[in-house]
């Protein structure tokens, strides 16, 4: 499903320019699926998601901020003109390769202001996804 992700009930940013921790792909998939489900039920957006809901779908030691941030980076790729993730969707679901790469690709924390580039190497991201795709 395409659209903006629901807002979350806590500040997810880290220190500007610092690396974002890698996350477990199962946690990333759980949160991504939860956001997709919420977005499908509320196509107009404007839905807030409390951090406790996110914690419930993740493993006990998950870095919730990193998981949410990485999901939001996927959402940005989806919202860019042409939906850059469209090639790797089957029946609206992201292929596992996209989630595996998104869980580990090096990225940095962005600030709260606007930025003209994403905080990770998009070309390297898609190169890794192509390598891992069936």
């Amino acid at each position: 499903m395409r659209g903006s992700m629901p807002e979350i009930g806590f500040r997810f940013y880290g220190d500007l320019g610092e690396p974002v921790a890698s996350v477990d792909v199962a946690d990333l998939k759980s949160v991504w699926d939860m956001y997709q489900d919420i977005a499908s039920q509320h196509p107009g957006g404007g839905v807030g998601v409390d951090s406790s809901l996110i914690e419930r779908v993740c493993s006990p030691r998950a870095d919730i901020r990193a998981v949410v941030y990485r999901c939001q980076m996927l959402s940005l790729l989806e919202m860019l003109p042409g939906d850059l993730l469209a090639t790797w969707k089957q029946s609206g679901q992201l292929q596992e390769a996209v989630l595996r790469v998104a869980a580990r690709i090096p990225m940095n924390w962005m600030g709260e202001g606007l930025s003209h580039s994403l905080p990770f190497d998009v070309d390297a991201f898609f190169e890794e996804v192509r390598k891992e795709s069936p």
Side-chain angles (χ1 to χ4, degrees):
M1 150 148 262
R2 188 172 172 175
S4 62
M5 296 185 72
E7 295 178 26
I8 54 172
F10 64 99
R11 186 173 173 267
F12 68 90
Y13 295 100
D15 292 329
L16 180 62
E18 289 296 313
V20 177
S22 294
V23 299
D24 187 298
V25 69
D27 291 328
L28 187 68
K29 181 175 182 358
S30 293
V31 173
W32 180 260
D33 289 347
M34 180 189 74
Y35 281 147
Q36 298 307 298
D37 186 48
I38 291 169
S40 72
Q41 294 176 36
H42 304 278
V47 176
V49 177
D50 189 78
S51 60
S52 65
L53 293 175
I54 298 166
E55 289 170 358
R56 282 187 214 150
V57 300
C58 289
S59 59
R61 296 207 169 128
D63 182 337
I64 301 299
R65 292 183 325 142
V67 172
V68 168
Y69 188 78
R70 287 176 179 277
C71 279
Q72 291 193 334
M73 294 304 109
L74 284 175
S75 182
L76 287 175
L77 290 174
E78 191 176 47
M79 289 188 294
L80 288 171
D83 180 0
L84 300 180
L85 298 176
T87 301
W88 292 278
K89 289 181 182 176
Q90 296 169 332
S91 302
Q93 297 292 321
L94 284 178
Q95 290 180 5
E96 187 77 17
V98 173
L99 296 167
R100 283 193 308 266
V101 174
R104 70 169 190 264
I105 193 154
M107 65 177 59
N108 295 321
W109 293 103
M110 293 187 339
E112 291 186 48
L114 295 174
S115 175
H116 296 289
S117 63
L118 293 173
F120 62 98
D121 185 332
V122 175
D123 292 333
F125 174 83
F126 285 111
E127 183 177 320
E128 288 295 314
V129 169
R130 280 189 284 280
K131 286 180 189 175
E132 292 204 21
S133 292

